[in-house]
Structures are given as C-alpha cells and as structure tokens.
Amino acid sequence: MERHAYDVVVIGAGGAGLRAAIAAHDAGARTAIVCKSLLGKAHTVMAEGGIAAAMGNRWPEDNWEVHFRDTMRGGKMLNNWRMAQLHAQEAPERVQELEDWGALFDRTDDGLISQRDFGGHKYARLAHVGDRTGLEMIRTLQQRAVALGIDVFMECTVTDVFKDGDAVSGAFAYWRESGRFIVFEAPSVILATGGIGKSFKVTSNSWEYTGDGHALAMRAGASLINMEFVQFHPTGMVWPPSVKGLLVTESVRGDGGILKNSQGERFMFDYIPEFFKAETADTVEEADAWYDDKKNNRRPPELLPRDEVARAINSEIKAGRGTPHGGIYLDIASRRTPEFIRKRLPSMYHQFKELADVDITAEPMEIGPTCHYVMGGVEVDADTQESAVTGLYAVGECSGGMHGSNRLGGNSLGDLLVFGKRAGESATSYASSLGGTRPQVDEADVKAAQASALAPFEVEGGENPYTIQSDLQQSMNDLVGIIRTRAELEESLREIEAFKERARTMVVEGHRQYNPGWHLALDLRNMLIVSECIAKAALAREESRGGHTRDDFPGPSDEWGTKNLVVNLDAAGTGVDLHEKPLPEMPDELKGYFA
C-alpha cells in the first residue's frame, strides 16, 4: 500500500482547493492536492459570469459595505454575517492577486478590470473574462500550483478521513485507474470537494459532484448546516435531452437578456416579491433604461436573485405557458447586436450553436431551472474554516454558512478565493503548532477503510449501483425539487431508506482496475447520506426562504429567520440526526446597513 506524509492534504482541485493549497505552501507546509478528476477539469469552470468584488471600477460608489448588504439580503439574512463580511472585504484583493499571477480580465475603456451586472448586486461588480471567468481562474491557479511544485494526485478518490482521538491524522484513498490504495498521513485535511448535484436528475453539475466532502466530514464527526437550501439555477438548457440541465450563464441576463413565456410576455414583472419591490423596476421602460442610467432607474426583474427567478419560471411552465420542450425563452437576440453577443458571450454562442443548433444572435434560447449549487455544507469557523473536528477544514461549496438561504451569482468564485486562502493558512498554522507530536494513523483504521472500500466486490446476486443512482436522482428531482410539500418530503425520506437498504447489497463485477461501477458504488454511499440530510432539513423547516420553497408554508417566518438547522450522523452511523441552532448575532454597527 502506498503511503505519503504531508503537513496539509487538500481534497479537491477546484478554485477553493487550489487557492488553499497555494496558501498552505506559501505558509511553509508540505502540501498535496488530491483530485477525483484531472487537474483543471474542476467544476469551477462552470462559474462563467465573473467574480463578485467591490472594486469600484465601474461604479466608484461601490464598496464592501454595499456588497455585504447585497449578500445578506440575497441570502434572506440567514447567512453567517462574519463570513459575508470577510468575503466582501477581502474579495477585491484576491481578484487583484489573480491578475498579478497572470489572469487576463476584460477591461474598461480606461484600462481597469471590467465589471458586469449580475442578479442581486446593486452595482456592476463581477470581474470577468467574457463568459469564461471560472476557466481563467482555474487556469491561473493551476499554473501557479504547478509552478510552486505542489504535489498533485490526479484521478484519485478519498473514501475516509482518519482520526487519532478527536484530531485528524490523515486520509484513505484509491487510484481510480489501478484501484490501488493510498494512505495519506497529515494532521490537517482541507475538504474542497464541491457540491451534491448528481443526487438530482436535472443538474448543471458534472459527475464528480456526489457530496464526497459533506459525507467525509459527517463520518469524521463534523456537522452540516443549511442543507435544505439547494439552488436551482433559473437558466439551464432544456433541449436536446442529451444536454438538459447544462448551465446557461446569468451573464446573458446581466448583459440585457430578457425572459419571455410562450405567449411572448415578459413575465418577471408579475413576480417581484415585496422584499425587493423598492429596488426593482415595475415597467418595461424603466427596466430597459436601467442598463444606460443606473442612478435614475431601478433594476430589471430578470436580475432578481436566482431563487426568485427560478420560482417564477417554474410557475409559468406549470401554468402551461412554457416552450414546446418544457422551458421558457431567454432572449438576447432582439436586444443586442450579433457583434456584442459574440464578444461578451462567446461560450454561450458556441454552446447553443454546437449542442442545440440555435444561433443566439438571431433567435431566443429555451431554458429551465437546473440543480446548480448547495448553500449548505460543513459547519465551520468563519475566520479559520475549521470544522468541529480538530484539523479538518472545509472551503468552497462543501462548506456552509456564507450564502445563507440563497447564493448570489458571482459570490461563489470570490468565496473560493477568500476562504481558500484563509483555510490554507489556518491549516498550516495548526500543523506547525504540533511540532513532533502529531496524531498517528491507526493501522486498524486502515484495514477497516480497505475492507469497506472492497465490500461491494464481496456481494453476490445484488443490485447494480447505476439502477439505484438513477432511482435516487428521479426521486430527489420529483420530491425534493424547487417546490416542496410535507407529503412529498416524507415520501422522499421513505424512498431514501429503501435506497439505503438496496445499496447494502450493491454488487460490483470485474476487477478494481478501470471499474466505474465500483467507483459509483463508493460515491453512492455519500449521495444517499447527503440526500437524507437535504430531505430531513427541508421537512423540518416549515417556511419558504431562498432556495427552500414549501408549498404548504408559502412565506418566510420571523421565527425560522433566527435559526439554522444542523445535521450530524446518528449514533449508528447509518442515518441523520437534526437539531436547531440560533443564528449568530450580528453586531449593531453592521445591523445599521439594513435599517
């Protein structure tokens, strides 16, 4: 069995993992990155619109206080206020740092980093590279990590985090190609594994997103927070079926695109919630004038936060005003010149041309909601990103708290950079404080991890993991989707119990080499536990807020607005326990921004 010793092991190589690894290396740690896929293929590339940072390049009035207020309001005030504050304060510096490392951004006329409009942001503040910002960010961080000589273990999946007493001692993994096992000895482990989207049938997420970090943290003894809040991005492709769910960037709406139903009506004006009425245009004239004169006009309703837009689209489709393929029209062709569209949205132009034979400079796109992001994740300390388990950190989409009940577009990339750096530095600081007395990996734990990973090969006459995954995805889509009810959530929990029972007798054929069936069998354990967390928290929260909409509790509740739901693995290790926890109290000087 392969063995390696490091100070810090980072699991995941998206924006958060790479930034954390660079910070740990720069702080003096022997650092390794372990990634399930190939380096550079992380899901961060799907964040196309930009990095939200109050740099004030287009609007000098913009500052961290306005960004903080927008983030808290977008999350319906359920965010961890300290995380939202740190993010708003530190994002501009992190963007500048990316540019210092070679990232190329679009420019304003006077040579500054260009910033674009996005839903929920008062000012144009998304630093961008066309509609390929995530790709540029990954390219820059990847080159930086390689240049620094950080060790990378590609196509390598972590299945367990080891502990010595209450502290992390390392991790257990296998090479996807050969099936050989690896033991990492490290006092600090940073989870940067992304989200949970592959538990849903229609998703913008790629195959890696099976909730690995969430499940690893729970099995190690950490808790998850806000798991009921799943963001359905308003705009995913709906046709052809082979690309259903593929992301259509919010930049299309930020650059002037509008939403229409099958009757040609610009329906978003009918769905402006009371909470955002004061800052949202209620006439077509005012909405269109906003693009050229933001001081004297209010924002178009197409740029409301994502949860509001997704619910509106869902309502129009259910009311029978959808497109032939069950979506809604997103139209930029009638509003901008072909040259403007090809320059500002090159990826979208090619995506629709190649995959759907639609020319977005000449005709509208068909779009519909797609499971995109989970606001919930590992409960962490706002300043250090450490979980309740000593030496275990979580950052990016697999951590919870920063975005409250709904994430604003553009805040994900800033989140990765700000908290990636903080996690890397904190993990290194802790590892170096230990001196020579480090937590040790217990050989009995290694044997147990190995036996657990190989268990699917021992089953005879069981079920194929692909069938269980397909049924789980359909169940989550139907019963724990955009609109939820008590009856459906209770049904989903019964179905998840049945899936767990079926998963106990999953059978994998063949050998450990190149065996995707085995890989899925291991991933499915994580998907089932995370799906149970989502359904259980969604059933408990009897209100509608952000990414969680209950048909039987249609509005937000003041009582629920003061508490988070926290989930842990139960004593048997096979189910989920849930409890309420008061929201951290915001200091009075910050409360003033919401008066």
Side-chain angles (χ1 to χ4, degrees):
M1 194 178 290
E2 227 180 296
R3 295 185 92 101
H4 301 277
Y6 291 96
D7 299 320
V8 176
V9 169
V10 181
I11 305 172
L18 288 169
R19 189 63 191 85
I22 291 166
H25 174 277
D26 288 350
R30 285 174 304 144
T31 308
I33 298 169
V34 184
C35 56
K36 200 170 172 180
S37 186
L38 294 166
L39 188 64
K41 203 194 151 290
H43 208 264
T44 306
V45 300
M46 290 307 294
E48 297 155 328
I51 310 168
M55 303 171 83
N57 291 351
R58 284 200 181 275
W59 294 93
E61 302 94 322
D62 198 12
N63 54 41
W64 77 261
E65 289 99 333
V66 183
H67 189 184
F68 168 71
R69 179 179 179 275
D70 288 347
T71 298
M72 292 296 299
R73 283 173 59 81
K76 307 296 190 290
M77 304 305 287
L78 215 63
N79 321 52
N80 179 308
W81 66 266
R82 177 64 177 157
M83 290 176 84
Q85 179 190 29
L86 288 170
H87 173 256
Q89 288 173 335
E90 295 177 10
E93 199 179 330
R94 298 287 78 80
V95 172
Q96 208 60 60
E97 194 172 58
L98 270 189
E99 185 173 50
D100 294 344
W101 293 346
L104 299 170
F105 289 98
D106 288 353
R107 295 282 157 190
T108 61
D109 292 340
D110 47 5
L112 299 172
I113 291 174
S114 177
Q115 297 186 272
R116 67 156 43 112
D117 289 300
F118 237 56
H121 293 280
K122 182 172 184 182
Y123 297 111
R125 69 163 68 100
L126 268 73
H128 62 94
V129 189
D131 56 357
R132 296 173 176 157
T133 314
L135 181 63
E136 182 68 4
M137 183 164 133
I138 280 285
R139 184 191 68 76
T140 305
L141 292 172
Q142 179 186 329
Q143 287 186 340
R144 181 80 178 172
V146 170
L148 293 172
I150 297 169
D151 291 347
V152 181
F153 295 79
M154 278 191 274
E155 297 190 298
C156 180
T157 301
V158 174
T159 60
D160 279 288
V161 171
F162 293 134
K163 282 166 56 179
D164 183 356
D166 293 327
V168 164
S169 60
F172 185 81
Y174 69 92
W175 290 109
R176 298 179 74 84
E177 181 183 346
S178 64
R180 286 184 59 213
F181 294 120
I182 314 169
V183 173
F184 292 99
E185 296 173 13
S188 290
V189 170
I190 300 175
L191 301 170
T193 54
I196 53 89
K198 290 312 281 184
S199 290
F200 288 81
K201 187 178 181 185
V202 179
T203 178
S204 65
N205 295 177
S206 58
W207 62 268
E208 301 96 333
Y209 264 41
T210 52
D212 297 2
H214 294 73
L216 285 169
M218 286 183 86
R219 289 199 289 267
S223 50
L224 307 185
I225 193 167
N226 292 344
M227 288 304 291
E228 63 271 37
F229 299 115
V230 177
Q231 181 170 89
F232 290 83
H233 196 291
T235 57
M237 293 180 76
V238 296
W239 193 261
S242 58
V243 295
K244 188 167 185 174
L246 193 61
L247 191 67
V248 178
T249 176
E250 194 166 333
S251 312
V252 177
R253 285 172 287 135
D255 285 343
I258 57 170
L259 296 165
K260 292 180 177 175
N261 60 25
S262 57
Q263 295 164 9
E265 295 164 342
R266 194 171 163 184
F267 59 84
M268 280 306 301
F269 291 101
D270 302 332
Y271 294 94
I272 303 168
E274 203 60 48
F275 194 68
F276 294 106
K277 269 209 164 114
E279 57 209 57
T280 307
D282 50 16
T283 65
V284 170
E285 293 72 29
E286 184 181 8
D288 288 348
W290 176 85
Y291 287 99
D292 299 315
D293 180 7
K294 292 183 172 61
K295 279 190 178 158
N296 298 311
N297 296 284
R298 294 173 296 174
R299 326 169 46 77
E302 279 87 1
L303 291 179
L304 281 164
R306 289 174 177 174
D307 56 324
E308 307 291 355
V309 181
R311 275 194 293 272
I313 291 171
N314 191 62
S315 297
E316 287 293 304
I317 295 168
K318 279 194 165 175
R321 296 187 287 272
T323 62
H325 298 120
I328 281 294
Y329 291 116
L330 172 59
D331 175 27
I332 195 169
S334 67
R335 299 174 57 79
R336 297 289 181 262
T337 64
E339 295 73 33
F340 177 93
I341 296 168
R342 279 195 289 266
K343 181 177 181 226
R344 295 277 290 193
L345 303 163
S347 297
M348 286 303 103
Y349 175 75
H350 288 292
Q351 181 173 308
F352 274 89
K353 197 83 182 121
E354 298 295 321
L355 300 178
D357 196 25
V358 168
D359 180 354
I360 69 168
T361 67
E363 55 190 311
M365 301 157 248
E366 276 190 76
I367 55 88
T370 179
C371 176
H372 182 56
Y373 189 92
V374 62
M375 276 65 75
V378 184
E379 189 177 18
V380 293
D381 175 79
D383 289 79
T384 64
Q385 299 296 287
E386 188 173 24
S387 71
V389 179
T390 304
L392 185 66
Y393 301 79
V395 65
E397 192 174 350
C398 79
S399 75
M402 155 73 196
H403 303 290
S405 66
N406 176 58
R407 175 176 70 77
L408 293 185
N411 272 357
S412 58
L413 293 185
D415 173 14
L416 308 184
L417 295 171
V418 168
F419 295 109
K421 179 174 189 287
R422 283 181 163 269
E425 290 171 350
S426 304
T428 305
S429 172
Y430 164 69
S432 56
S433 73
L434 294 169
T437 56
R438 295 190 160 192
Q440 297 300 303
V441 171
D442 187 331
E443 287 310 306
D445 291 343
V446 174
K447 284 193 170 67
Q450 184 173 345
S452 174
L454 292 175
F457 288 107
E458 311 298 322
V459 178
E460 286 183 21
E463 194 173 356
N464 185 321
Y466 287 96
T467 315
I468 303 171
Q469 184 198 28
S470 174
D471 290 350
L472 171 68
Q473 290 173 330
Q474 190 68 56
S475 173
M476 291 298 285
N477 232 62
D478 295 345
L479 304 175
V480 199
I482 298 185
I483 311 295
R484 301 159 174 177
T485 65
R486 173 183 291 280
E488 289 182 345
L489 292 167
E490 286 173 343
E491 175 66 17
S492 80
L493 285 166
R494 284 193 292 273
E495 290 192 5
I496 288 167
E497 282 306 314
F499 297 143
K500 280 158 64 176
E501 200 53 51
R502 287 164 61 187
R504 286 192 186 96
T505 57
M506 272 186 298
V507 65
V508 173
E509 295 177 358
H511 304 283
R512 278 153 59 182
Q513 293 85 358
Y514 304 105
N515 193 333
W518 178 43
H519 304 162
L520 178 60
L522 298 179
D523 289 344
L524 202 48
R525 297 173 182 178
N526 302 335
M527 294 166 75
L528 286 165
I529 203 75
V530 167
S531 297
E532 185 176 352
C533 291
I534 295 168
K536 206 157 210 173
L539 179 61
R541 183 172 285 276
E542 295 184 334
E543 67 157 355
S544 292
R545 184 182 298 267
H548 168 66
T549 305
R550 286 283 295 266
D551 218 15
D552 41 357
F553 296 95
S557 136
D558 290 344
E559 185 197 344
W560 277 104
T562 62
K563 53 195 177 189
N564 293 121
L565 289 175
V566 179
V567 288
N568 295 83
L569 213 54
D570 63 17
T574 56
V576 172
D577 285 336
L578 177 142
H579 65 275
E580 296 174 7
K581 188 173 184 178
L583 204 62
E585 183 71 21
M586 188 188 293
D588 290 340
E589 64 265 24
L590 294 180
K591 282 182 184 169
Y593 298 128
F594 306 96

